[in-house]
C-alpha cells in the first residue's frame, strides 16, 4: 500500500511538471517564432514575458464556455478532457530508475495510447454537430492513422536492434553509441511522422485557418479550446522525450537527457517557423508512397542483420 501511495504521488508530481513544461513550451514557441520573424514575442507580463502562459491560461479558463445548442453535449464536453488524459497517461512509460512503474511492454502501451488519441478527435468533431468540424475531424483522423503505420514500423525496426519492448533497453544499448548514427534516415522519418501525429506544421491541416475553418475544434472556446491545445503540447513534449530516448540514449534521471529533449522540442518549433503548410494531395503520398516503403525496407534489413549476427554467434 505504501509503495502504491509513493508511486501515485510520483506520478502526480510528473503530471504537474509536464503541465508546467507545456506552459513554458508555448512561451518558448512564441519567443522563437518572434525572433524568426524579427520581432520580440511576449515580453510584457512578468520578467521577459515569463508569466505570459499563466496569464493566457487564466484568461482562457475564466472566459464564458459556449456550447452549440444542437451539439451532443456529453461527448462534446468530455472529448478535450479525454484528449488531455491520454496525453498525460502516456507519460507513465518514462523509464525512471525508481519510484515509478516499470513497463516490460512500454512501447506497446505507448502505441495503444497513440491509437486512442484518434477517438477524442473524431468524437470532438462529430459531437459538435457541425459540417466543418466533422470534415476536419475526419481529415485529422485519416492523417493520424496513416502516419501511425510508419511510426509503428520504424519502432519495430529499432526494437529488432535492441531486442525488446522495454524502454530501459534503449538506455543500456546507447551508452557508447547513439542509434541515431546507425539509423539516421529512420530517425528523420520518425521526426516527420511525429510532426504529422501531433498535427504540427507542415502537417497542421487540422488547424488550417482559412481553407479548413480551423478543423475539428471549430466549435470549442475558452476551457475546451485550452484543453485541446494542452493535449497537443503535452504530446509534443512526450514525442521529443521519446526521440531522445530511442535515438539519442541517456537516462531520464540525467540533465543531458532533458537538454536533448528541449533541443528536439526546439526543432518542432523551428520547423513551424520555417516550412509552409504541405499541399493536401501530398499528405497521403508522403505517408504511403515514401515513408512506408523505406521503413519496411529498413525493417527487413534489420531483421536480416539480427539473424546474421545470431548465426555468426552460434
Amino acid at each position: 500500500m505504501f509503495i502504491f501511495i509513493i508511486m501515485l504521488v510520483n506520478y502526480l508530481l510528473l503530471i504537474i511538471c509536464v503541465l508546467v513544461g507545456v506552459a513554458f513550451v508555448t512561451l518558448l514557441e512564441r519567443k522563437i517564432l518572434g525572433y524568426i520573424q524579427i520581432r520580440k514575442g511576449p515580453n510584457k507580463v512578468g520578467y521577459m514575458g515569463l508569466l505570459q502562459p499563466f496569464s493566457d491560461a487564466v484568461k482562457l479558463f475564466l472566459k464564458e464556455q459556449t456550447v452549440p445548442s444542437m451539439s451532443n453535449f456529453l461527448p462534446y464536453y468530455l472529448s478535450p478532457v479525454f484528449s488531455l488524459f491520454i496525453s498525460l497517461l502516456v507519460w507513465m512509460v518514462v523509464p525512471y530508475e525508481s519510484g515509478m512503474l516499470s513497463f516490460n511492454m512500454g512501447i506497446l502501451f505507448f502505441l495503444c495510447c497513440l491509437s486512442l488519441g484518434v477517438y477524442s478527435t473524431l468524437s470532438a468533431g462529430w459531437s459538435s454537430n457541425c459540417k466543418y468540424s466533422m470534415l476536419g475531424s475526419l481529415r485529422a483522423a485519416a492523417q493520424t492513422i496513416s502516419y501511425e503505420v510508419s511510426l509503428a514500423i520504424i519502432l519495430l525496426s529499432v526494437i529488432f536492434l535492441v531486442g525488446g519492448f522495454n524502454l530501459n533497453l534503449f538506455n543500456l544499448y546507447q551508452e557508447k553509441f547513439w542509434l541515431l548514427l546507425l539509423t539516421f534516415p529512420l530517425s528523420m522519418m520518425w521526426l516527420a511522422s511525429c510532426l504529422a501525429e501531433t498535427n504540427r506544421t507542415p502537417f497542421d491541416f487540422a488547424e488550417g485557418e482559412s481553407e479548413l475553418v480551423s478543423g475539428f475544434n471549430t466549435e470549442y472556446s475558452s476551457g475546451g479550446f485550452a484543453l485541446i491545445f494542452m493535449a497537443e503540447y503535452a504530446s509534443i513534449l512526450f514525442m521529443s522525450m521519446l526521440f531522445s530516448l530511442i535515438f539519442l540514449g541517456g537516462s531520464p534521471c540525467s540533465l543531458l537527457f532533458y537538454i536533448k529533449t528541449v533541443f528536439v522540442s526546439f526543432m518542432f518549433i523551428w520547423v513551424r517557423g520555417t516550412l509552409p503548410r504541405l499541399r493536401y494531395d501530398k499528405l497521403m503520398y508522403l505517408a504511403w508512397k515514401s515513408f512506408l516503403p523505406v521503413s519496411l525496407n529498413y525493417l527487413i534489413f534489420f531483421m536480416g542483420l539480427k539473424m546474421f549476427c545470431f548465426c555468426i554467434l552460434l
Side-chain angles (χ1 to χ4, degrees):
M1 186 65 183
F2 181 66
I3 295 170
F4 176 75
I5 291 167
I6 288 175
M7 281 169 56
L8 189 65
V9 169
N10 284 345
Y11 187 57
L12 286 172
L13 282 171
L14 179 62
I15 286 175
I16 291 164
C17 292
V18 168
L19 292 175
V20 172
V22 163
F24 284 110
V25 165
T26 60
L27 179 65
L28 178 72
E29 177 170 35
R30 291 175 67 182
K31 278 284 191 187
I32 290 168
L33 291 178
Y35 284 112
I36 285 172
Q37 296 158 7
I38 320 175
R39 57 186 176 81
K40 283 286 184 188
N43 63 347
K44 299 295 181 201
V45 186
Y47 178 68
M48 291 172 63
L50 282 175
L51 297 178
Q52 185 69 48
F54 303 105
S55 164
D56 291 341
V58 169
K59 184 203 79 171
L60 280 168
F61 284 108
L62 291 182
K63 279 176 77 175
E64 183 184 356
Q65 177 81 50
T66 55
V67 179
S69 56
M70 299 296 285
S71 68
N72 197 334
F73 180 73
L74 201 61
Y76 171 85
Y77 197 77
L78 291 179
S79 294
V81 178
F82 182 68
S83 181
L84 183 61
F85 172 73
I86 292 295
S87 296
L88 294 176
L89 183 70
V90 77
W91 282 88
M92 287 175 74
V93 301
V94 182
Y96 287 101
E97 287 170 11
S98 62
M100 296 289 282
L101 290 171
S102 179
F103 280 79
N104 278 332
M105 294 286 176
I107 290 175
L108 278 182
F109 182 81
F110 158 68
L111 286 172
C112 291
C113 288
L114 206 63
S115 306
L116 284 172
V118 178
Y119 294 106
S120 62
T121 305
L122 272 175
S123 172
W126 172 79
S127 61
S128 298
N129 200 14
C130 166
K131 290 172 189 166
Y132 295 116
S133 301
M134 188 64 201
L135 285 170
S137 68
L138 288 173
R139 285 189 181 106
Q143 174 182 319
T144 304
I145 291 165
S146 300
Y147 283 89
E148 256 174 38
V149 175
S150 54
L151 210 65
I153 292 170
I154 291 165
L155 265 179
L156 272 176
S157 304
V158 290
I159 285 165
F160 266 102
L161 286 178
V162 299
F165 289 90
N166 194 331
L167 286 167
N168 274 317
L169 292 169
F170 291 98
N171 182 22
L172 294 172
Y173 273 77
Q174 294 182 86
E175 284 180 354
K176 308 287 183 191
F177 183 82
W178 285 353
L179 278 180
L180 180 80
L181 304 174
L182 182 63
T183 62
F184 186 74
L186 274 186
S187 63
M188 292 301 104
M189 284 196 300
W190 169 273
L191 194 62
S193 299
C194 287
L195 288 169
E197 199 65 34
T198 52
N199 293 325
R200 297 291 292 174
T201 307
F203 305 98
D204 59 340
F205 299 100
E207 285 109 39
E209 287 82 18
S210 54
E211 69 274 22
L212 300 182
V213 199
S214 193
F216 69 93
N217 54 357
T218 312
E219 301 296 338
Y220 283 95
S221 61
S222 64
F225 177 85
L227 289 176
I228 287 169
F229 282 91
M230 281 166 71
E232 183 184 310
Y233 281 93
S235 299
I236 289 167
L237 268 181
F238 181 78
M239 289 299 196
S240 305
M241 186 278 301
L242 205 61
F243 183 93
S244 303
L245 193 64
I246 292 172
F247 295 106
L248 300 173
S251 165
C253 299
S254 69
L255 179 63
L256 186 61
F257 177 79
Y258 293 103
I259 293 168
K260 292 176 199 168
T261 302
V262 170
F263 178 72
V264 179
S265 301
F266 165 73
M267 286 176 72
F268 272 77
I269 299 163
W270 190 10
V271 166
R272 182 176 179 184
T274 311
L275 297 179
R277 189 173 293 130
L278 215 63
R279 244 173 56 187
Y280 196 81
D281 58 338
K282 295 286 182 191
L283 176 70
M284 296 306 170
Y285 178 87
L286 203 62
W288 297 107
K289 292 194 175 180
S290 180
F291 286 4
L292 189 63
V294 175
S295 53
L296 274 171
N297 280 321
Y298 260 97
L299 176 62
I300 294 163
F301 169 70
F302 285 134
M303 284 167 68
L305 186 69
K306 198 78 173 180
M307 287 169 68
F308 178 70
C309 292
F310 272 125
C311 291
I312 289 174
L313 288 170
L314 289 170

